[in-house]
Amino acid sequence: MALANNLTAILNLLVLLCSIPITASGIWLASKPDNECVNLLRWPVVVLGVLILVVSACGFIGAYQHKETLLAVYLCCMAILIGLLLVVLIFAFLVTRPGGSYQVPGRGYKEYRLEGFSDWLRENVVDSRNWGKIRACLADTDVCPKLSQQFITADQFFSSSSITPLQAYSILFCKQPVVNSDVKVISASGCCKPPTACGYNFVNPTLWLNPTNMAADADCYLWSNDQSQLCYNCNSCKAGLLGNLRQDWRKANLILIITVVVLIWVYVIACSAFRNAQTENLSRK
């Protein structure tokens, strides 16, 4: 009995440690500038991580103090939390699976469009009911202003691969036949610049003048050099936000998948140890 309880206590300590990367992933997601503006997706992972931390601490105490009722409650609650974490993982994978990209005929690059993302993301993140608040929040961040601090000339701006989807939504891959293959260039708009097809002339990353083809994209008419407006009302800005969310959730999912596998493994062993302890207790009686 004592050996089984000690084993359960050690396993609960491992579960408690597993809650740290879960909580850290949630905090990282919530701290991203784009996620700060989407309240719907900010805290579910953090809440699950904290709950797993609390439940595993209760399980550790129950095993250390030989309280079987507390251990039974722990096992039941942990099963529910692991199930919820699996649901979050599967849901996040499904809604972020469409990437919004499509192949352009006769070109060596892909472009992106709002319609290419999942219906759930479009309906719950960038629909007309939510976009007003999200747009105001994005305008208050430093996502666009810091572009002007990072890039001085047009060559620096167009050759950069560090610009996020939210800033300039598609980084397209243009293959050169002779030298420097797969050179990255900006070829679509996000929240901080107008669509390239509009033919605006670069002044600085958030100031563009004298368009030559306004009919090329509806977003051409929505662009404004007013730094509080820019392209925050453009569909390309919405696509950029969804592109950033997709990238962030995909990165977090890798950590969460590893953690869930460890949690399930530890939980199965903990259940076996608890059952053996119960059997041993009944044999003694």
Side-chain angles (χ1 to χ4, degrees), residues 188-201:
S189 68
C191 299
C192 310
K193 65 180 290 290
T196 301
C198 304
Y200 278 91
N201 292 310

Side-chain angles (χ1 to χ4, degrees), residues 80-144:
I80 295 173
L81 289 176
I82 291 176
L84 288 174
L85 190 56
L86 283 171
V87 169
V88 170
L89 273 174
I90 294 172
F91 177 76
F93 175 78
L94 291 177
V95 300
T96 60
R97 185 179 180 185
S101 64
Y102 64 96
Q103 192 70 43
V104 180
R107 298 290 186 271
Y109 55 74
K110 291 183 178 181
E111 291 188 351
Y112 300 81
R113 56 190 175 194
L114 184 60
E115 294 76 14
F117 291 94
S118 68
D119 292 338
W120 189 91
L121 277 179
R122 287 188 284 115
E123 291 172 3
N124 290 277
V125 177
V126 297
D127 70 346
S128 58
R129 294 173 300 169
N130 299 324
W131 186 248
K133 293 180 180 179
I134 294 174
R135 180 212 168 284
C137 176
L138 288 174
D140 289 336
T141 67
D142 64 347
V143 170
C144 292

Side-chain angles (χ1 to χ4, degrees), residues 29-72:
L29 283 172
S31 65
K32 301 289 286 184
D34 44 338
N35 284 325
E36 288 180 1
C37 299
V38 185
N39 294 326
L40 183 64
L41 301 176
R42 285 188 70 182
W43 300 113
V45 177
V46 175
V47 172
L48 280 176
V50 172
L51 288 176
I52 291 174
L53 176 66
V54 172
V55 171
S56 61
C58 291
F60 179 81
I61 294 171
Y64 188 77
Q65 297 293 331
H66 308 292
K67 296 186 180 297
E68 295 182 11
T69 302
L70 189 58
L71 279 175

Side-chain angles (χ1 to χ4, degrees), residues 146-147 149-165 167-173 182-188 193 202 205:
K146 70 181 181 182
L147 282 178
Q149 301 171 5
Q150 292 175 335
F151 305 104
I152 305 297
T153 67
D155 288 340
Q156 290 177 338
F157 184 72
F158 290 126
S159 63
S160 173
S161 61
S162 63
I163 297 174
T164 67
Q167 293 170 328
Y169 182 47
S170 53
I171 304 292
L172 305 182
F173 297 84
D182 296 329
V183 177
K184 296 181 180 180
V185 298
I186 307 295
S187 183
K193 65 180 290 290
F202 177 93

Side-chain angles (χ1 to χ4, degrees), residues 106 108 173-183:
F173 297 84
C174 299
K175 296 186 177 180
Q176 304 293 334
V178 181
V179 294
N180 296 331
S181 63
D182 296 329
V183 177

